[in-house]
Amino acid sequence: MQFLNLTWLWGLTGLLIPIAIHLLSRKEGKVIRIGSIRHFEETSTRQFRNIRLNELVLLALRCLLITFVVLLLSGLSYTNSKSEDIKWMVMERGMKKEKDFKTLIDSLEQNGFELRWLEKDFPLLKDSSIITHKLNYGSLIESLKKVQAKQIVVLSYNYANRFKGKRTTLPNNIQWISKSPQPEKFTVSTTLFSSDSVLVRKGNSNGDRTMFANEAVGINSLTAQDKMLIQNQDTISILIASDSEFGYDKNIMIAALKAVDETLPCVLKIKSSDISKLNDDQADWIIWLSENAIPENMQTKNLAFNKKKFGNKIITLSDKGWLLTQRLDQENAIENNLTLQLASILLPKEQAQQTANKFDRRTLPEKELWSSAPSQIANTFVIAETNNAIPFLFALILVVLLAERIIAFKRNQ
């Protein structure tokens, strides 16, 4: 049982009132008139022996009535437990191979815990064919809250990219046990530079951070898997169209593009022209540095200056292309990572990004997982459905009140 307003329980002291009234009430005896009482002597019988509980049925009904009214005011609710003996151990992919948890897994299995995957619908451990990498810890916890189980133990790596949305609370019947994953080394991309050399972009991810590095190696030193990732260098032609007022902006833009060309495995063919001298030169990208509107025939793959404010981002996406939201100088180019932003829009690598996300091993610390500190695991856990008892109390009050009035009327009380 649960109470919304525990203060009202002090009202149970009101039970003393009907008890006191009934103790003090006695039926009037038959009056016998006598002429004199001088021949009567006082006995030693104590007076309180004549005080007795009168009309026990009425007393019980009136006590019940006060009790039900107090419970109604206190906001009584009750729990309807179901399937209290259900016990699960839910583990993330890879946890079964962790030596640190082998003893725990075996112990829980011997104590009647069902072994399940931390996946949608929580399939049994034998159903490993449906395991995926697309997890959302928050939504899985919400699903576990609906499982009316006595105890649930979750084994997880706490990957940062699997906590999405608002933080949720951890119920008392769920114990979340985490472990830092092993560092992961992986190949993001392999780009061909010449007939016998390639540039390999390697990634190294652990619980704290993910790092990337480029390494030029010979083709013969590659593994068979890395050879399957070999791609030719991207060649991108870029036309910078500017007017005289944007001469400094143009120099900053060219310097940023050259940094991209020297750092990433790509070939950038950069040309610049005054907007008054534009001809029919074709380019993969147009960078428009002028307060004049970009012509309609240049609306595909363009980065155009727009003096309107679009927040703090120096480059933002619009329905007609990309927008440069600020005039360029050395300070804001460095502060806003202009080179990185140009690289991300000129060389979008969806496959490389998916590979990096797949092997991302960064984790969140325990104190940042839940909106409130998770309760410690207790000896027993019961997750139950809470029901409001107010309608039942109303009905009981009416029944008891009716019965009390009928009996009191018949007995003239």
Side-chain angles (χ1 to χ4, degrees), residues 252-253 256 314 326-341:
I252 296 293
M253 182 63 69
I314 194 171
Q326 303 175 27
R327 295 292 299 270
L328 297 179
D329 54 45
Q330 290 184 355
E331 184 177 353
N332 65 13
I334 295 174
E335 288 181 355
N336 294 280
N337 292 319
L338 177 62
T339 302
L340 293 178
Q341 293 196 50

Side-chain angles (χ1 to χ4, degrees), residues 13-68:
T13 57
L15 293 173
L16 298 175
I17 297 174
I19 294 176
I21 292 174
H22 280 257
L23 282 173
L24 297 175
S25 67
R26 290 175 291 177
K27 287 185 178 180
E28 296 180 1
K30 186 177 180 180
V31 178
I32 301 176
R33 298 182 181 277
I34 61 175
S36 175
I37 61 171
R38 67 175 181 270
H39 298 293
F40 287 87
E41 294 180 1
E42 185 178 356
T43 65
S44 60
T45 304
R46 294 181 181 179
Q47 185 178 1
F48 69 83
R49 290 183 179 177
N50 293 326
I51 300 177
R52 59 186 177 87
L53 287 176
N54 189 25
E55 299 293 351
L56 293 178
V57 175
L58 275 175
L59 175 61
L61 290 174
R62 288 166 181 170
C63 289
L64 281 176
L65 188 60
I66 293 176
T67 302
F68 291 152

Side-chain angles (χ1 to χ4, degrees), residues 139-155:
S139 62
L140 291 173
I141 284 294
E142 294 301 322
S143 298
L144 284 175
K145 289 180 181 180
K146 299 176 183 178
V147 179
Q148 295 177 353
K150 181 178 181 181
Q151 184 177 349
I152 299 177
V153 178
V154 180
L155 304 182

Side-chain angles (χ1 to χ4, degrees), residues 175-244:
Q175 183 184 17
W176 189 280
I177 303 176
S178 61
K179 175 180 172 59
S180 296
Q182 294 295 325
E184 186 78 31
K185 295 182 179 181
F186 56 95
T187 301
V188 178
S189 61
T190 306
T191 305
L192 185 65
F193 263 134
S194 64
S195 58
D196 59 351
S197 63
V198 293
L199 183 68
V200 181
R201 187 165 181 79
K202 294 282 188 178
N204 188 348
S205 184
N206 55 39
D208 297 326
R209 58 183 177 175
T210 299
M211 301 170 292
F212 300 94
N214 296 330
E215 181 182 3
V217 298
I219 293 181
N220 296 331
S221 63
L222 295 177
T223 63
Q225 185 176 3
D226 287 347
K227 287 181 179 179
M228 296 175 62
L229 300 175
I230 293 179
Q231 296 179 344
N232 293 322
Q233 294 186 78
D234 291 326
T235 300
I236 302 173
S237 59
I238 300 173
L239 173 61
I240 302 177
S242 62
D243 56 25
S244 57

Side-chain angles (χ1 to χ4, degrees), residues 148-170:
Q148 295 177 353
K150 181 178 181 181
Q151 184 177 349
I152 299 177
V153 178
V154 180
L155 304 182
S156 170
Y157 288 112
N158 295 351
Y159 290 129
N161 58 5
R162 295 180 180 180
F163 285 97
K164 301 175 183 178
K166 295 182 179 180
R167 290 191 300 173
T168 185
T169 57
L170 195 66

Side-chain angles (χ1 to χ4, degrees), residues 93 96 117 119 123-132:
R93 183 183 180 93
K96 193 170 178 58
W117 290 115
E119 294 284 337
L124 294 172
L125 217 62
K126 61 183 179 181
D127 301 326
S128 59
S129 59
I130 63 174
I131 302 305
T132 65

Side-chain angles (χ1 to χ4, degrees), residues 86-140:
I86 293 179
K87 295 185 291 186
W88 284 4
M89 194 198 67
V90 185
M91 66 178 69
E92 192 169 347
R93 183 183 180 93
M95 278 291 179
K96 193 170 178 58
K97 299 179 181 179
E98 296 287 350
K99 296 181 180 179
D100 297 344
F101 290 143
K102 187 178 186 306
T103 302
L104 174 63
I105 294 173
D106 294 340
S107 175
L108 292 179
E109 189 174 13
Q110 292 174 3
N111 283 276
F113 280 74
E114 291 184 357
L115 304 185
R116 293 177 175 267
W117 290 115
L118 187 62
E119 294 284 337
K120 182 180 179 182
D121 299 329
F122 310 105
L124 294 172
L125 217 62
K126 61 183 179 181
D127 301 326
S128 59
S129 59
I130 63 174
I131 302 305
T132 65
H133 290 278
K134 297 179 180 180
L135 297 181
N136 184 346
Y137 294 139
S139 62
L140 291 173

